[in-house]
Amino acid sequence: MKRRTLFLIFVALACACTGTLTAADLRAIPGDSVYRFDATLSDQSGTEFHLGERRGRPLLVAMFYTSCRYVCPLIIDSVKGVEHALNETEPAHLRFLLISLDPARDDTAALKSVFDKRKLDAAHWTLARTSESNVRTLAALLGVRYRALADGEFNHTSALVLLDREGRRIASSEALGATPDPKFMAAVRNALEISTK
């Protein structure tokens, strides 16, 4: 209970800092939703969007950076593993959002390069960047721990975080690889079933 209260206070403070949500927007979004922090991001095409615009469908979120040679490619493989485990109709209802931990270097061209190299589907996948302060807040809201290292690399957790259609955290997994964690996959399928009712 204490953890939930702290989360709600943190989200409220984060929203106050951005000032992008109206009072009506805030009333419509659940109190424990990550979307209360309506950060502005830009995608691999340079198109800006607000985090809250992802509301309405389940969203699988992870954090990565494009120059990472070890864990981040595995994070993308893990998200692809979830995508490939879905049946023919399920991918239409699930979106994938990977947010850069390194906005100083991960410009639109860097995101686009990885997007194209990994042959990601723009109908479902978004690689995004945002401000450094937003990265810190989003990482905290998603439960991703990271720190910049002296050599320009980042030490970070490999969490895949599942948000329901209202932006509430409902599951996470740090299992890496093309075969998804069965419990996490069950949570994905449950979220998809609920969202299509």
Side-chain angles (χ1 to χ4, degrees):
M1 186 66 174
K2 184 178 179 183
R3 188 175 178 184
R4 179 180 163 84
T5 303
L6 289 172
F7 176 83
L8 294 176
I9 290 169
F10 184 76
V11 171
L13 289 172
C15 292
C17 293
T18 62
T20 58
L21 292 173
T22 66
D25 292 333
L26 283 172
R27 282 193 297 275
I29 297 174
D32 57 349
S33 172
V34 172
Y35 296 153
R36 282 190 166 256
F37 179 61
D38 194 29
T40 300
L41 301 94
S42 64
D43 68 16
Q44 68 276 355
S45 299
T47 304
E48 287 194 349
F49 65 95
H50 293 279
L51 186 61
E53 291 171 24
R54 292 303 193 251
R55 193 172 175 220
R57 294 185 199 171
L59 180 69
L60 196 163
V61 188
M63 300 189 82
F64 82 123
Y65 63 106
T66 64
S67 60
C68 175
R69 290 173 286 172
Y70 305 108
V71 174
C72 298
L74 289 173
I75 289 173
I76 294 174
D77 288 343
S78 300
V79 178
K80 279 187 154 192
V82 171
E83 182 180 35
H84 293 148
L86 299 172
N87 68 35
E88 292 177 3
T89 60
E90 287 172 328
H93 303 287
L94 181 64
R95 298 180 195 167
F96 309 105
L97 174 63
L98 274 66
I99 302 169
S100 173
L101 292 164
D102 189 11
R105 292 184 294 180
D106 282 347
D107 58 11
T108 302
L111 295 175
K112 179 72 170 148
S113 175
V114 170
F115 190 90
D116 292 343
K117 182 178 178 182
R118 298 306 301 265
K119 297 180 171 59
L120 305 178
D121 180 357
H124 309 293
W125 285 75
T126 303
L127 304 186
R129 64 186 306 275
T130 189
S131 69
E132 194 171 326
S133 62
N134 282 349
V135 168
R136 282 193 297 273
T137 302
L138 287 168
L141 291 172
L142 296 170
V144 173
R145 298 176 306 281
Y146 78 100
R147 64 186 175 94
L149 303 176
D151 62 0
E153 299 294 314
F154 289 83
N155 187 352
H156 63 96
T157 54
S158 58
L160 307 185
V161 180
L162 179 64
L163 305 180
D164 71 7
R165 61 186 174 188
E166 295 294 337
R168 294 172 292 213
R169 279 184 57 165
I170 52 175
S172 65
S173 174
E174 291 191 23
L176 293 176
T179 304
D181 170 11
K183 287 184 180 178
F184 186 73
M185 205 61 223
V188 169
R189 289 212 160 89
N190 186 53
L192 289 169
E193 185 178 339
I194 291 168
S195 74
T196 53
K197 286 183 180 177

